[in-house]
Amino acid sequence: AARCGDGVIQDGVEQCDDGNQDSTDDCLNDCRTARCGDGVVSLDEQCDDGNRVNTDDCLNNCQTAACGDGVINANNEECDDANAINTDACLNDCKAATCGDGVVQTDVEDCDDTNDSNTDACTNACEFARCGDTFIRENFEECDDGNTVASDECNSECFVAYCGDGFVQAGVETCDDADNDNTNDCLNDCTPASCGDGFVHVGVEACDDGNDD
């Protein structure tokens, strides 16, 4: 009696019959023509899980899922943009780009140094450190109060305000000319020159002995 595997194709019953028990060729052992999705790995297939789920380990074209194939594998990928660009929103290992991954994301990050330090050249927000960002950059800044006001305790260059820095500290100094000259309008103690201060104000005073006599 005719049967599957006898090498004779039964019209209307069998799609093929190659007379062998090899299920990995183009004719399955149940005499159906091999195709992607039949659940049997055959011919040029890398896998065949018999389903139409494209986000598992076997794609719908019967190729093994891999990072870079353009399909997000639900088991181990966060993204898959099918390119070799590591500076876009999806890294080449199919992880979503994030601040701290060590890759500078184009048009999004200034820098990315993979550490948790806010006091180096790259902050934890992946922005270049700058005076006014509220973080005191080690070996560069003495203070950082988050503003660019030159007249408070931390000047606009992120140094602690002092007499002689060239910035008039509000409520503390009345002048600051950043020089060591006691004969001009501003003395070295950041007070204005005046008669009786003991310094001859050039172009203004002929003498100044510092007393009331």
Side-chain angles (χ1 to χ4, degrees):
R3 60 178 177 80
C4 176
D6 59 13
V8 179
I9 299 174
Q10 298 179 60
D11 192 29
V13 177
E14 299 174 334
Q15 295 176 349
C16 60
D17 194 321
D18 56 7
N20 65 42
Q21 293 299 304
D22 184 1
S23 206
T24 61
D25 58 14
D26 57 1
C27 185
L28 302 183
N29 289 348
D30 60 3
C31 292
R32 289 180 296 125
T33 302
R35 62 176 180 79
C36 178
D38 57 23
V40 181
V41 179
S42 58
L43 299 177
D44 58 353
E45 297 177 337
Q46 296 176 348
C47 59
D48 195 320
D49 55 8
N51 67 43
R52 301 301 298 168
V53 178
N54 209 31
T55 58
D56 58 12
D57 293 334
C58 186
L59 301 182
N60 287 348
N61 62 2
C62 291
Q63 301 301 301
T64 302
C67 179
D69 57 23
V71 180
I72 300 175
N73 187 333
N75 296 323
N76 52 36
E77 295 179 339
E78 295 175 0
C79 58
D80 196 319
D81 56 7
N83 67 40
I85 299 171
N86 211 29
T87 57
D88 58 11
C90 186
L91 302 182
N92 289 347
D93 61 1
C94 290
K95 301 296 184 185
T98 59
C99 178
D101 57 24
V103 181
V104 179
Q105 192 176 354
T106 302
D107 298 327
V108 176
E109 299 174 335
D110 293 331
C111 54
D112 197 316
D113 59 5
T114 74
N115 66 41
D116 294 325
S117 174
N118 262 324
T119 61
D120 57 11
C122 185
T123 70
N124 289 345
C126 290
E127 297 173 346
F128 289 132
R130 60 178 176 78
C131 179
D133 60 14
T134 74
F135 305 112
I136 300 174
R137 186 178 176 190
E138 191 173 357
N139 300 323
F140 284 86
E141 297 175 338
E142 294 178 348
C143 57
D144 197 316
D145 56 7
N147 65 47
T148 55
V149 177
S151 59
D152 58 12
E153 294 179 349
C154 184
N155 67 34
S156 57
E157 296 176 351
C158 288
F159 291 101
V160 175
Y162 65 94
C163 178
D165 60 14
F167 303 105
V168 179
Q169 189 177 356
V172 178
E173 301 171 336
T174 51
C175 62
D176 195 319
D177 57 6
D179 64 25
N180 291 312
D181 187 358
N182 264 325
T183 64
N184 57 18
D185 293 337
C186 187
L187 301 184
N188 289 346
D189 62 0
C190 292
T191 58
S194 62
C195 180
D197 58 22
F199 303 104
V200 178
H201 191 176
V202 174
V204 177
E205 298 174 334
C207 60
D208 196 317
D209 57 6
N211 62 49
D212 295 327
D213 242 351

